[in-house]
Amino acid sequence: SAIVALDPRQRRLELADGTGIEYGGLLLALGAEAIRLEIPGGERALTLRSLADSRRIVERATAAAVGAPALRAVILGASFIGLEVAAALRTRGLEVTVVAPGKRPLEAILGPEFGDFVRALHEQKGVRFHLGHKAIASDERDVTLDNGERLPADLVVAGVGVKPAIALAEKAGLAVDNGILVDAFLETSIPGIYAAGDLARYPHPHAGTRLRIEHWVAAERQGQAAARNLLGQRQPFTDVPFFWSQHYDVAISYVGHAEKWDRIEIQGSLENRNALAVYRQGGEALAVASIFRDRESLQAERALERNRPEELERLLTATR
């Protein structure tokens, strides 16, 4: 049964069926919800946040009769989720078009060079891009763009981001700001209540700011850390953020955190799928993205986790 109310003073949860649960310690790990498109026909777009969502997309992707023309899919958003769905659907033989407002896919996270590489990788597999545009409407046959163009669409998938599920916490009086605010131990503004995963914004000692990481490994590690702290161990969460993203036979690995940078160093060759990108701000290496450089990625994670910039610089010098 769903939780409908949280009473921190009574240390009690109220469920939708009217029953209540008392708690001594509480961990909020409600995740995030996919953003829905607020356009005419936007409810038609599928999202990917759960196994059920995945099965729904697969069901729609295999609905064509044997011998019929390939189904046409329009992906709204050139995010990691959007592009991974594009790759999966293209592998299944669908015609795939990606629509996004930016100039390049993933440019805000990985930079222009990586963005161009990712676009070329998908185009080599037959994916078409309509960048610099947004969808303004959808019906059972088409998606209409802001320039008036209509894209045939048997299937529409939206990957335009998520919003943290903070309504319960906000109503209960916990401090929130684009997520539930927690301290270094993942404890919220109310003692005895912890938060972990997509909805938790925590102070990271190396990044020097609050982070909210939308990746299942981070959620898993934060849950483990919060459980230890619920048991009284009081261990700060200091793990370095990382994620990976699979595009056909190419995996992109990213470690660290760089919301902004003033320089990107590319070592190796993106075109040859053997590369490492270093994101720097004021000369400091904040994050590393790599393709088929798993050893260096792991070594960079270790150096960042130990907060040893000199060790990271030795590694980066050795890999040039």
Side-chain angles (χ1 to χ4, degrees):
S1 183
I3 301 170
V4 296
L6 163 62
D7 184 345
R9 297 179 66 181
Q10 299 296 324
R11 290 181 173 256
R12 180 180 174 85
L13 298 170
E14 182 181 337
L15 306 184
D17 62 7
T19 60
I21 300 176
E22 296 182 353
Y23 66 85
L26 179 65
L27 171 60
L28 296 174
L30 301 173
E33 304 165 353
I35 295 174
R36 300 286 178 174
L37 293 173
E38 296 184 359
I39 61 174
E43 68 279 358
R44 180 191 175 205
L46 302 179
T47 57
L48 179 58
R49 287 293 296 173
S50 67
L51 178 59
D53 292 340
S54 176
R55 287 174 171 166
R56 192 174 299 115
I57 294 172
V58 170
E59 181 182 359
R60 291 286 301 276
T62 56
V66 176
L71 291 175
R72 298 160 298 184
V74 173
I75 311 299
L76 304 178
S79 63
F80 284 110
I81 288 292
L83 293 174
E84 289 174 3
V85 170
L89 294 180
R90 190 72 193 104
T91 301
R92 288 177 174 270
L94 278 72
E95 295 181 6
V96 178
T97 301
V98 175
V99 178
K103 294 181 180 180
R104 298 177 178 89
L106 305 179
E107 182 175 10
I109 300 173
L110 298 177
E113 295 91 344
F114 242 110
D116 287 339
F117 166 77
V118 169
R119 175 175 180 170
L121 174 63
H122 282 268
E123 288 180 332
Q124 290 165 11
K125 298 293 185 178
V127 174
R128 293 184 291 270
F129 285 87
H130 286 259
L131 300 175
H133 295 288
K134 295 181 179 180
I136 60 171
S138 177
D139 57 32
E140 291 302 316
R141 295 178 299 176
D142 303 296
V143 170
T144 302
L145 304 186
D146 53 8
N147 63 354
E149 187 172 0
R150 298 174 70 90
L151 303 178
D154 302 301
L155 170 65
V156 181
V157 180
V160 294
V162 299
K163 54 184 179 181
I166 62 173
L168 181 72
E170 189 171 21
K171 186 177 179 181
L174 277 69
V176 298
D177 179 13
N178 186 29
I180 300 175
L181 298 180
V182 297
D183 62 15
F185 304 98
L186 303 179
E187 192 169 24
T188 70
S189 59
I190 296 181
I193 301 179
Y194 293 74
D198 290 5
L199 52 60
R201 282 193 66 205
Y202 68 99
H204 196 277
H206 310 318
T209 186
R210 286 185 177 272
L211 306 183
R212 187 174 65 80
I213 306 299
E214 299 169 0
H215 193 279
W216 68 268
V217 173
E220 186 178 66
R221 291 181 172 183
Q222 287 178 12
Q224 294 167 350
R228 288 191 292 267
N229 292 331
L230 275 164
L231 294 173
Q233 295 186 23
R234 300 298 289 173
Q235 297 178 8
F237 181 75
T238 60
D239 289 24
V240 172
F242 83 96
F243 65 84
W244 68 92
S245 182
Q246 189 75 34
H247 303 256
Y248 310 100
D249 59 343
V250 175
I252 300 172
S253 298
Y254 183 100
V255 59
H257 184 78
E259 288 188 0
K260 58 183 179 179
W261 56 82
D262 53 29
R263 182 158 53 101
I264 303 176
E265 299 173 358
I266 304 290
Q267 301 180 14
S269 170
L270 289 169
E271 183 179 354
N272 294 332
R273 304 182 182 185
N274 183 354
L276 186 147
V278 185
Y279 300 84
R280 294 184 180 275
Q281 180 72 25
E284 181 184 0
L286 302 178
V288 173
S290 61
I291 298 175
F292 296 127
R293 295 279 189 96
D294 291 350
R295 180 183 179 87
E296 290 93 333
S297 180
L298 289 170
Q299 290 173 329
E301 180 184 4
R302 181 177 64 181
L304 286 167
E305 198 159 86
R306 293 177 176 179
N307 197 20
R308 295 180 179 177
E310 69 287 350
E311 180 180 332
L312 179 59
E313 290 301 332
R314 285 197 300 270
L315 166 67
L316 297 176
T317 300
T319 57
R320 290 194 178 114

